Amino acid sequence: MKLDWITKLRAEVPAAARAVLALSSVGLLFLVWFLATRGATAESRLISPAILGSPAEVLGSFKSLWFDRELTRNAGASLWRVLQGFGLAALIGVPLGIAAGTFRWIDSFIAPLSTFGRNVPMSALLPLTALWFGIEETQKVMFIFIACVAFITFDATRSILEVQERYLETAYTLGASKWQVVTKVLIPLALPSIFNSLRLLFGVGFGYIILAEMVNMDRGLGMLILVSQRIGPREHVYLVLVVIALLAFALDRALFWTGTKLFPYKYAAES
């Protein structure tokens, strides 16, 4: 196997090498974790078991997390909240972004709100959404909506603007109307980029739900983290974080696979 990809700038890494490197990084993390938590007593460990248990201790608590803490039920609750909030944000943000990219005066009109929405600290939205929507399900869904809609709008606008002008000029030359240019040229050419943006932002929204679920603590993975941090076992905190990462990765791969079927020409280079 040629190894010139190691020193060559921006060289594509072979699939087998990518797999080996990925497994190596995970293995190194577990090795450091094992060494830092090795020892029969708290005094003999580099890191106290009150802060971080050993790999065996953390993984050994999975049974109680699954059964006693109802992991699947809480994971399903979090996912459903994200689907509702993000779906609503996409339903509003994508058409608004397409309109803003098509007619720049709309972009200028919504620019202050979009900029504000993309820069406001998400933690500051918690008391506001609780004040506006209460502390039940609506608050959590609307928190995800408000947290994501500005980013979706901005990326949809950018996707429309990235369509090269020559495609529009060709359509006009062939006698297309303004509406046909929008529906037959701009939107179809921008859709792969919009879909990819939604795929990436969905992972961000899944991270935000953990913050929202710390209000009222009625089911959800965020509730599990906070409860485990307060009353234990602490090992559950790390397990839930791993579950969140694995679930987010699985959803991302599912959306990526969907993208390869919808837009094979766009995703061929990434697969």
Side-chain angles (χ1 to χ4, degrees):
M1 179 187 296
K2 295 182 178 180
L3 300 179
D4 56 343
W5 52 267
I6 296 178
T7 57
K8 185 178 179 181
L9 298 180
R10 303 180 65 179
E12 184 67 27
V13 181
R18 287 202 305 268
V20 171
L21 290 171
L23 291 174
S24 298
S25 68
V26 174
L28 179 61
L29 176 62
F30 270 90
L31 178 61
V32 173
W33 182 10
F34 171 77
L35 294 176
T37 57
R38 183 179 59 173
T41 62
E43 291 76 12
S44 63
R45 297 186 180 188
L46 292 176
I47 300 178
S48 169
I51 299 175
L52 176 63
S54 67
E57 291 167 345
V58 172
L59 295 176
S61 68
F62 183 78
K63 182 178 179 180
S64 63
L65 177 64
W66 182 274
F67 292 104
D68 300 338
R69 293 281 172 83
E70 299 181 312
L71 175 61
T72 53
R73 176 175 176 268
N74 285 289
S78 294
L79 182 58
W80 176 236
R81 289 162 178 163
V82 175
L83 288 173
Q84 292 180 85
F86 190 84
L88 181 60
L91 189 64
I92 293 177
V94 170
L96 185 58
I98 291 174
T102 303
F103 301 102
R104 299 305 303 273
W105 67 268
I106 297 179
D107 185 31
S108 299
F109 180 74
I110 66 173
L113 296 178
S114 177
T115 302
F116 177 80
R118 287 182 286 113
N119 289 281
V120 65
M122 291 301 106
S123 57
L125 291 178
L126 279 178
L128 289 178
T129 54
L131 177 65
W132 295 338
F133 307 107
I135 58 175
E136 303 300 332
E137 287 297 301
T138 303
Q139 180 267 333
K140 297 168 178 57
V141 172
M142 294 307 297
F143 178 85
I144 296 298
F145 166 75
I146 296 174
C148 295
V149 66
F151 291 97
I152 293 174
T153 303
F154 176 81
D155 282 1
T157 302
R158 186 181 58 184
S159 297
I160 292 292
L161 293 176
E162 287 176 349
V163 175
Q164 297 182 25
E165 190 68 23
R166 59 189 175 91
Y167 294 113
L168 279 70
E169 294 173 353
T170 301
Y172 281 128
T173 301
L174 295 174
S177 65
K178 185 180 298 184
W179 176 250
Q180 288 174 325
V181 169
V182 173
T183 58
K184 303 296 184 180
V185 179
L186 278 177
I187 294 178
L189 290 177
L191 269 182
S193 180
I194 292 174
F195 181 86
N196 192 54
S197 172
L198 291 175
R199 175 175 70 88
L200 298 175
L201 288 174
F202 186 83
V204 176
F206 197 78
Y208 284 152
I209 193 60
I210 307 304
L211 184 62
E213 287 174 342
M214 292 182 178
V215 176
N216 193 32
M217 295 196 302
D218 176 29
R219 295 176 296 147
L221 295 174
M223 180 272 293
L224 285 183
I225 290 177
L226 196 57
V227 169
S228 299
Q229 186 270 330
R230 288 180 177 179
I231 65 176
R234 295 287 177 85
E235 289 80 6
H236 284 182
V237 174
Y238 300 100
L239 278 179
V240 172
L241 291 177
V242 172
V243 168
I244 291 171
L246 292 176
L247 186 56
F249 177 78
L251 291 169
D252 178 79
R253 291 298 88 189
L255 290 173
F256 182 86
W257 179 85
T258 303
T260 62
K261 301 305 178 183
L262 293 175
F263 316 106
Y265 56 91
K266 174 69 175 181
Y267 283 80
E270 301 181 36
S271 58

